[in-house]
Amino acid sequence: MAAALLEQGEDAFRRLFKYYKRRQPPPDLSGGIVDFSRAQQNCKVLITPLNVTSISDQEARKAGLQPVCKWKAYGLDDYPGFMFISDPFLPGWQRYWAKQCLKIYPRKPNVCNLDLHMSRDETTDLWEQSREQLRLKVPGKREAKSLLEKLRWVTLGYHYNWETKKYSPDHFTAFPTDLAYLSEQVAAACGFQQFKAEAGILNYYHFDSSLGIHVDESEIDCSKPLLSFSFGQSAVFLLGGLKRQDPPLPMFIHSGDIVIMSGRSRLFYHAVPRIVPNPEGRAIPSCLENVMARDSCSADTSYQQSDEGDWEICMKYLQNSRINMTVRQVVGVGQSFPITSETGKVAGSQPYSYHQDAEEDHEHKRQKLETATESP
Ligand code: SIN
């Protein structure tokens, strides 16, 4: 079915996006989608050797990663610069990142979608405001959403302005040191030794969410890779080409997987039309149930073992959700921001965003998510 849609030419990306997004009848997810976690591989998939000495085992461990020699890294024929690393995290570390995304990173001064129509006081600690509601949530029962469940995005470092589609030197707050360290190790392992984590966009998805077709092109230096880390339920990810009409390749992204877009693929169109249950069919994937080894949280790292109470809340959230962290370098060495009158402050009005869920589909019928183009 998906293959037939591709042959029809004319904005094949949009057609496939709509196919995978639709509810009734649901799309066929049983074939034609690259799954890097399965032994049976698509002929486009290439095993990509990494330089195992690019980062030391100790550096990898400090970032919560297995030694590089154990990573399973792939590329794709015809997608130069695209890399896929199948869950290289050490036990317990996926939990750590999921908790950071839910408890720590949404805090001020970071910016989130709720700031656009709520006061600073109301969005000061989404975790505290949501934890009890989430803890008491009965799976499957329709209940009011907690603020954490209404969270769609958080920006870090240089805060991406969704209205102007730009970053500004005037709107920068310290990038989280733990996430910078993880990103810099992953980038180095993939051959980008000088990568600097300067901006992050965290995307929060539920089973009815999608992310429209877009290119990440707002960074001033697009020669640096874009790193993308995913936790929780799985996603169907569509990777197109430089032109909007180029037919995309569908692939699954599972919990712990890392996608790197660099080189020519850095400016390829992509989208997330659908969030799907994890392939194990469990409430949450087993890789998220692992706890951290004692020596991973010793004094040489600033990381703390998740406490069980917090994890209970994260689990409730992740049963229906997926979290994605994208990390970018904005300016290259010797580069500066173009002179502009842009202040970079969050605008009071609702900016155009490519995040959407079923309720918003109804609310913003005319916004046609699937035709959204530019984004970071
Ligand atoms: C993803 O959620 O995997 C993709 C995020 C993005 O394209 O910004």
Side-chain angles (χ1 to χ4, degrees):
M1 175 58 177
L5 285 169
L6 281 180
E7 277 153 28
Q8 290 169 24
E10 253 314 274
D11 203 352
F13 204 138
R14 187 159 162 267
R15 281 171 200 270
L16 212 61
F17 181 88
K18 286 175 93 170
Y19 172 73
Y20 282 115
K21 190 183 173 187
R22 86 180 176 204
R23 298 283 133 193
Q24 285 308 331
D28 177 8
L29 302 174
S30 65
I33 306 182
V34 175
D35 191 342
F36 294 94
S37 69
R38 303 257 152 136
Q40 138 274 336
Q41 288 297 357
N42 181 294
C43 57
K44 282 196 168 299
V45 174
L46 313 164
I47 309 278
T48 304
L50 296 175
N51 177 352
V52 297
T53 59
S54 49
I55 60 168
S56 68
D57 291 359
Q58 199 195 2
E59 286 166 326
R61 195 162 61 94
K62 191 174 164 193
L65 298 164
Q66 304 200 34
V68 177
C69 61
K70 293 202 175 154
W71 295 12
K72 293 193 195 101
Y74 306 95
L76 285 170
D77 202 15
D78 294 338
Y79 295 83
F82 175 85
M83 286 174 74
F84 191 103
I85 302 168
S86 229
D87 183 11
F89 289 95
L90 285 168
W93 283 83
Q94 288 200 40
R95 276 191 184 201
Y96 173 82
W97 294 112
K99 181 173 148 186
Q100 293 298 89
C101 289
L102 292 172
K103 184 174 180 178
I104 308 297
Y105 300 153
R107 287 184 184 159
K108 299 290 155 264
N110 299 333
V111 180
C112 73
N113 61 303
L114 302 176
D115 296 329
L116 303 168
H117 44 81
M118 293 175 78
S119 70
R120 200 182 164 98
D121 280 354
E122 288 171 306
T123 58
T124 266
D125 196 342
L126 303 181
W127 174 265
E128 263 326 298
Q129 286 160 271
S130 307
R131 56 177 302 154
E132 205 47 21
Q133 203 177 334
L134 265 171
R135 201 177 61 77
L136 298 173
K137 218 174 168 75
V138 180
K141 190 166 164 215
R142 260 185 102 81
E143 290 172 76
K145 281 186 180 160
S146 60
L147 288 181
L148 262 185
E149 291 163 291
K150 291 183 183 166
L151 191 62
R152 286 290 171 272
W153 53 261
V154 167
T155 55
L156 311 170
Y158 286 114
H159 297 280
Y160 181 67
N161 185 321
W162 300 90
E163 210 166 18
T164 61
K165 301 179 171 67
K166 286 189 170 71
Y167 299 98
S168 159
D170 302 332
H171 197 196
F172 174 83
T173 56
F175 193 94
T177 51
D178 53 359
L179 183 53
Y181 190 77
L182 169 72
S183 307
E184 286 158 16
Q185 300 314 309
V186 170
C190 296
F192 299 92
Q193 298 290 344
Q194 306 304 324
F195 179 81
K196 281 193 1 233
E198 294 179 326
I201 300 181
L202 314 181
N203 296 300
Y204 299 81
Y205 301 88
H206 310 297
F207 280 126
D208 58 359
S209 315
S210 57
L211 189 73
I213 306 166
H214 67 280
V215 180
D216 293 81
E217 59 186 356
S218 298
E219 293 73 27
I220 295 159
D221 184 0
C222 285
S223 71
K224 298 293 184 295
L226 185 145
L227 312 180
S228 166
F229 305 87
S230 298
F231 306 103
Q233 303 300 332
S234 303
V236 176
F237 180 82
L238 297 178
L239 179 65
L242 284 176
K243 293 200 297 289
R244 172 66 194 242
Q245 309 86 278
D246 293 338
L249 181 72
M251 64 188 79
F252 285 114
I253 300 182
H254 302 301
S255 193
D257 291 342
I258 306 178
V259 167
I260 294 108
M261 293 174 77
S262 69
R264 195 171 156 80
S265 295
R266 176 68 175 74
L267 295 175
F268 280 4
Y269 280 93
H270 55 281
V272 178
R274 198 177 191 94
I275 304 304
V276 292
N278 66 82
E280 298 166 286
R282 301 165 64 111
I284 62 162
S286 51
C287 51
L288 271 162
E289 294 198 341
N290 299 329
V291 292
M292 211 177 266
R294 285 228 156 264
D295 62 344
S296 285
C297 26
S298 62
D300 73 327
T301 77
S302 59
Y303 306 141
Q304 307 282 312
Q305 191 162 19
S306 296
D307 84 75
E308 285 304 315
D310 284 353
W311 181 240
E312 189 190 338
I313 312 298
C314 293
M315 262 199 316
K316 270 286 179 57
Y317 181 91
L318 291 167
Q319 282 175 17
N320 298 307
S321 312
R322 168 178 186 259
I323 303 172
N324 171 262
M325 321 190 282
T326 56
V327 180
R328 307 113 197 278
Q329 175 162 347
V330 176
V331 276
V333 178
Q335 285 184 326
S336 51
F337 281 89
I339 313 272
T340 162
S341 58
E342 161 59 29
T343 63
K345 298 284 184 288
V346 181
S349 61
Q350 174 74 51
Y352 184 73
S353 157
Y354 52 72
H355 299 77
Q356 205 164 48
D357 61 23
E359 274 171 31
E360 288 161 348
D361 262 352
H362 183 67
E363 203 178 312
H364 303 294
K365 249 186 191 139
R366 283 172 303 125
Q367 279 199 350
K368 290 255 184 210
L369 172 78
E370 57 274 21
T371 57
T373 48
E374 289 101 346
S375 71

